[in-house]
Amino acid sequence: MTELDTITHASDPAVQRIIDVTKSSRSNIKTTLIEDTETLMQSISAGVQFIEVYGSDSTPFSAELLALCRRQNIAVRLIDSSIVNQLFKGDRKPKTFGIARVPRPAKFSDIADLSGDVVVLDGVKIVGNIGAIVRTSLALGASGIILVDSDITSIADRRLQRASRGYVFSLPVVLSGREEAIAFIRDSGMRLTTLTASGKLSVKDLGDIPDRLALLFGSEKEGPSELFEKAASASVSIPMISATESLNVSVSLGIALHERIDRNLAAHR
């Protein structure tokens, strides 16, 4: 492996850029910090534009990541580990990270142009669940995700990037209000189908529906909001042993999308 340049002084402009991008008080987020080799590689593969990628000089740099960066003409440098410790202090200290330009926010039109089912999360706030849902949705053929009342203000959220392993950049994730989401689903001709404990259909029935669906999942405690429930054309439940109160929302989504896999795979062909 070719020896990489190492940043040894805190006065290097890159150090200030990293400090600026990790400030929680920023109001205009144009750049973001993306951490860890797997997340970096997935983000680069998804077309995210990177300014520079860094590694700690105390940790071997991934040869695979280095090769990908070179193919994409992304600058790579190491940073002295003492500076890395200063940059992240009490935070989790990533060994590999990069500064990237935040992609433009996804719009409903990005989803409308596709054919797979759409996942709607209503009041789901646990970022780990949202990240798992992103990965599962991508793997099982969903066209996109609509986040409503999630407390996430940008897909550049570092927690979401980590939880999704960078896959949040690989499919449209739209941040929306309830009324806007319902209007889009209605205008797109999709059937809004809600997953609830008392659904009239069994999840097995989902595989027999040829239409494009908007699959609605509420939080585990509250379930879907009244506005969405009134707008839904069908409700679905997952049969389970009665002693089990509920399933994790990401598990429920995986079960539902797996029943839709033949339809969604055909839509992607």
Side-chain angles (χ1 to χ4, degrees):
M1 182 186 299
T2 305
E3 187 172 346
L4 297 172
D5 291 338
T6 301
I7 297 171
T8 57
H9 298 287
S11 59
D12 190 292
V15 175
Q16 185 58 53
R17 183 162 57 231
I18 295 166
I19 292 172
D20 291 341
V21 85
T22 54
K23 288 179 179 176
S24 58
S25 59
R26 289 190 307 158
S27 58
N28 187 15
I29 302 177
K30 294 183 178 180
T31 54
T32 184
L33 185 138
I34 296 178
E35 309 163 39
D36 301 330
T37 297
E38 181 185 352
T39 305
L40 284 165
M41 293 191 67
Q42 182 57 40
S43 301
I44 294 169
S45 298
V48 177
Q49 294 184 338
F50 278 79
I51 297 169
E52 196 164 21
V53 169
Y54 309 98
S56 170
D57 68 349
S58 64
T59 304
F61 197 91
S62 164
E64 191 177 5
L65 174 58
L66 181 59
L68 179 60
C69 288
R70 286 178 172 164
R71 287 198 298 273
Q72 299 298 325
N73 295 315
I74 299 170
V76 178
R77 286 192 288 172
L78 301 179
I79 301 180
D80 186 279
S81 57
S82 64
I83 298 177
V84 173
N85 290 336
Q86 293 174 34
L87 285 170
F88 296 99
K89 297 180 181 177
D91 267 358
R92 173 181 178 272
K93 295 179 175 61
K95 302 299 183 183
T96 311
F97 53 95
I99 301 296
R101 293 181 175 88
V102 176
R104 72 162 178 81
K107 302 176 181 178
F108 286 130
S109 58
D110 298 318
I111 296 177
D113 293 339
L114 303 174
S115 302
D117 291 335
V118 174
V119 172
V120 185
L121 302 183
D122 179 23
V124 177
K125 299 178 186 290
I126 298 175
V127 179
N129 282 339
I130 298 173
I133 286 168
V134 167
R135 300 199 306 275
T136 302
S137 298
L138 183 64
L140 297 181
S143 287
I145 296 173
I146 300 173
L147 293 183
V148 177
D149 190 24
S150 65
D151 290 344
I152 289 176
T153 59
S154 169
I155 62 168
D157 187 299
R158 287 170 62 190
R159 300 168 302 159
L160 180 56
Q161 292 170 24
R162 288 196 296 266
S164 71
R165 300 293 190 269
Y167 285 99
V168 71
F169 301 114
S170 295
L171 81 170
V173 178
V174 178
L175 309 181
S176 171
R178 289 186 176 88
E179 292 182 354
E180 294 90 343
I182 291 171
F184 164 69
I185 293 165
R186 181 187 62 241
D187 295 344
S188 299
M190 285 185 281
R191 293 177 59 181
L192 180 60
T193 303
T194 181
L195 273 287
T196 67
S198 57
K200 295 181 180 179
L201 299 176
S202 167
V203 70
K204 286 287 185 182
D205 297 323
L206 287 177
D208 299 326
I209 301 173
D211 306 315
R212 190 184 189 197
L213 300 181
L215 296 168
L216 172 66
F217 298 82
S219 68
E220 292 174 43
K221 288 186 178 180
E222 304 296 332
S225 62
E226 183 178 356
L227 197 61
F228 272 120
E229 285 196 319
K230 286 182 178 179
S233 61
S235 60
V236 174
S237 63
I238 299 173
M240 65 181 76
I241 297 172
S242 59
T244 305
E245 182 180 351
S246 66
L247 295 175
N248 178 278
V249 64
S250 65
V251 173
S252 297
L253 175 130
I255 293 171
L257 277 182
H258 191 268
E259 294 296 335
R260 298 285 294 163
I261 189 65
D262 290 341
R263 189 266 171 204
N264 284 327
L265 283 178
H268 277 265
R269 294 190 184 107

